[in-house]
Amino acid sequence: MTGEDKFDISPEWLDGETKVLEAPHDHRAELRLWLRLLTCSTLVESEVRRRLREEFDSTLPRFDLMAQLERAPDGMVLGEVSKRMMVSPGNITVLVERLTESGHISRTTLATDRRVQIIALTPFGRAEFEKMAAHHADWISDLFAGLAPKDSGVLMDELAKLKRSIIASLAKGA
């Protein structure tokens, strides 16, 4: 039985995780876990990107920026958006320009400091984001439908432990 048969996946999804499973003695359990997480993340992200593009003529970075702004009804300073999204200010600037041109967001300067820009969703942008977010939630639910609620809870708990472990390791400088 090959890795493909074991997971009933098509050849285009043959990935590092599947190859590792074909020769498990060559890799530590942590590496196999990392590859499993990466594979799942990549599969979900690819599908979300495809659906955003096809159904809304949008991109994941635009969706992510609008999601940040949806949580801040009074808008956000560009630098804060950049930190929250963990991307460079230059990348945010390009997204902001595109979303401003399309009418999804507004950009104003702070009255007390003209160097500071505040961006916010426009009413049109908020309505469009709400449509995208509803579909996004359905897509994720669809993709995760094979997990029972109990399994989802266990997985969330275990991933929380993993996150704490990673943070602790990074704090030690490992």
Side-chain angles (χ1 to χ4, degrees):
M1 176 180 284
T2 68
E4 292 172 63
D5 296 330
K6 198 181 284 183
F7 293 101
D8 192 31
I9 58 175
S10 59
E12 64 266 15
W13 287 114
L14 187 62
D15 51 30
E17 176 195 357
T18 304
K19 291 181 181 192
V20 165
L21 287 172
E22 292 173 353
H25 59 279
D26 294 340
H27 302 278
R28 294 183 7 208
E30 293 85 359
L31 179 57
R32 292 193 313 271
L33 176 58
W34 161 241
L35 290 171
R36 171 80 41 98
L37 290 168
L38 185 59
T39 298
C40 289
S41 177
T42 300
L43 289 169
V44 171
E45 184 177 330
S46 295
E47 183 61 11
V48 168
R49 285 179 186 276
R50 183 189 69 76
R51 291 182 185 191
L52 282 170
R53 183 179 55 253
E54 290 179 4
E55 296 182 31
F56 294 99
D57 192 29
S58 192
T59 65
L60 188 54
R62 289 179 192 173
F63 178 82
D64 289 345
L65 175 58
M66 292 172 72
Q68 291 298 323
L69 295 175
E70 194 271 336
R71 295 182 192 106
D74 297 329
M76 293 177 68
V77 175
L78 273 176
E80 179 63 23
V81 175
S82 174
K83 285 179 194 168
R84 286 187 184 192
M85 291 180 63
M86 297 184 283
V87 297
S88 73
N91 287 341
I92 294 297
T93 301
V94 171
L95 289 172
V96 167
E97 288 173 10
R98 292 225 166 76
L99 288 169
T100 300
E101 289 168 5
S102 66
H104 288 87
I105 65 172
S106 62
R107 180 173 30 189
T108 57
T109 54
L110 192 61
T112 57
D113 188 344
R114 311 253 336 132
R115 298 170 296 175
V116 178
Q117 292 188 24
I118 299 173
I119 57 174
L121 285 173
T122 62
F124 168 71
R126 187 168 301 282
E128 289 295 302
F129 175 75
E130 287 171 2
K131 287 182 214 168
M132 283 192 278
H135 280 82
H136 178 266
D138 289 342
W139 302 335
I140 299 301
S141 181
D142 242 11
L143 293 170
F144 285 52
L147 279 178
K150 179 182 174 189
D151 294 335
S152 293
V154 169
L155 186 55
M156 283 294 291
D157 291 344
E158 294 303 314
L159 289 172
K161 286 183 205 173
L162 176 60
K163 182 178 177 182
R164 287 190 300 273
S165 172
I166 293 166
I167 290 169
S169 180
L170 292 172
K172 289 190 301 191

